[in-house]
Amino acid sequence: MSHPAARKLAIIAAALAAAMVVVATQAPASILAGAVRSWSAGRVELGDPSGTLWNGQTDLILANGDRDSSFRTRLPGRTSWHISPWRLLVGSFDLTVDNSAVLDTPLALRMDWAANATIDANRLRLPAGVLVGLGAPWNTIRPGGELQLEWDTVHLRSGALLGNLRAEWIDASSGLSPIVPFGHYRLLANGFFDGAQLQLDTITGPMEMTGSGTIADGKHLRFRGSAGVQPGTDEAVATQLSGLISLLGRREGDRAILNFGT
């Protein structure tokens, strides 16, 4: 090939490469919507996404996975994200997600090509009403109050998710009960999914919920506990909580049995 022809070919190749980079970096954020819905089995949706694939904003919506269902709950605030396209060239996927309405600090995730990942410690705050978007039984209970999820630095290694999670339901209430609030509850997960140990305790309130369980092999949930009125609770308050307690599980005496998993 002659020198002028080679030079011309190199210029064309460089122009094509530059065009591909421009197209990639300007890919619209909307192309993520389908991928996120598929990955989450229809439980997370992106509403009104704007920006690009690499830098964008969206409304996060929780759903129950049924396309024909009207149960969808929009999280407070707009959620923004940043993905570094250049870090992909050195084998690292770096994602930062920010929403000051629900996160204490921007959430940072780093992943390598072997699917080993790290998520920095953070705290997520949500109105308990977002659970309605997940369908039954939450759409019946219509929970109120605030949910807080706090975690240490989490590591994903060889398919095992390692870390600790604390979830709290603060100022818990329900559209089915006039008692507001009826409790404050804490669920601890020690070790997350790879053999995680679960412990549910009541911090305060006239309605008591306690229990324990495990999440084995990353997917098998086994949890057993009970819900009932705290000893010494005023009789009128106990009566007003009775209907809600009955919805939480099979009645056994004056308590409901919380039994999840196999």
Side-chain angles (χ1 to χ4, degrees):
M1 184 181 294
S2 65
H3 179 71
R7 182 178 180 184
K8 183 176 181 180
L9 183 60
I11 292 173
I12 293 174
L16 287 174
M20 291 176 65
V21 170
V22 170
V23 170
T25 56
Q26 297 303 314
S30 58
I31 68 174
L32 278 177
V36 169
R37 181 176 178 86
S38 175
W39 171 79
S40 66
R43 294 188 178 277
V44 180
E45 299 178 1
L46 304 186
D48 192 24
S50 61
T52 70
L53 173 66
W54 312 102
N55 292 281
Q57 289 189 337
T58 189
D59 294 330
L60 278 183
I61 301 169
L62 297 183
N64 65 0
D66 185 351
R67 285 184 177 273
D68 297 325
S69 173
S70 60
F71 295 117
R72 284 173 169 76
T73 305
R74 191 179 304 270
L75 269 61
R78 289 277 285 178
T79 299
S80 64
W81 72 85
H82 171 72
I83 302 171
S84 172
W86 312 116
R87 293 289 295 170
L88 293 175
L89 300 177
V90 295
S92 176
F93 176 78
D94 288 17
L95 168 68
T96 302
V97 177
D98 192 16
N99 182 337
S100 59
V102 297
L103 286 167
D104 277 7
T105 60
L107 185 151
L109 178 148
R110 298 174 296 281
M111 180 181 295
D112 61 26
W113 288 118
N116 295 318
T118 298
I119 303 175
D120 290 346
N122 213 323
R123 182 173 61 171
L124 176 68
R125 308 173 311 279
L126 297 170
V130 300
L131 296 175
V132 171
L134 300 180
W138 302 109
N139 55 314
T140 301
I141 295 173
R142 302 196 306 277
E146 181 179 82
L147 301 177
Q148 288 191 5
L149 283 78
E150 189 171 0
W151 58 91
D152 302 334
T153 299
V154 176
H155 301 282
L156 178 64
R157 299 288 185 271
S158 302
L161 194 57
L162 308 175
N164 298 303
L165 170 72
R166 181 175 71 186
E168 296 194 23
W169 186 7
I170 301 169
D171 292 334
S173 66
S174 166
L176 300 179
S177 173
I179 307 301
V180 180
F182 54 70
H184 176 179
Y185 309 97
R186 177 180 296 151
L187 176 67
L188 298 178
N190 178 13
F192 272 13
F193 295 117
D194 189 25
Q197 302 294 314
L198 305 177
Q199 182 63 47
L200 173 64
D201 292 301
T202 300
I203 308 304
T204 61
M207 193 175 87
E208 179 183 53
M209 291 194 292
T210 60
S212 61
T214 60
I215 303 177
D217 301 324
K219 55 186 176 181
H220 299 294
L221 168 66
R222 296 179 179 87
F223 182 90
R224 184 173 175 85
S226 67
V229 176
Q230 293 269 28
T233 298
D234 180 81
E235 186 175 344
V237 172
T239 299
Q240 291 174 321
L241 288 172
S242 179
L244 174 61
I245 291 171
S246 295
L247 284 174
L248 297 177
R250 174 178 54 84
R251 288 301 290 247
E252 194 170 279
D254 59 354
R255 301 184 71 81
I257 302 303
L258 309 177
N259 195 6
F260 306 103
T262 57

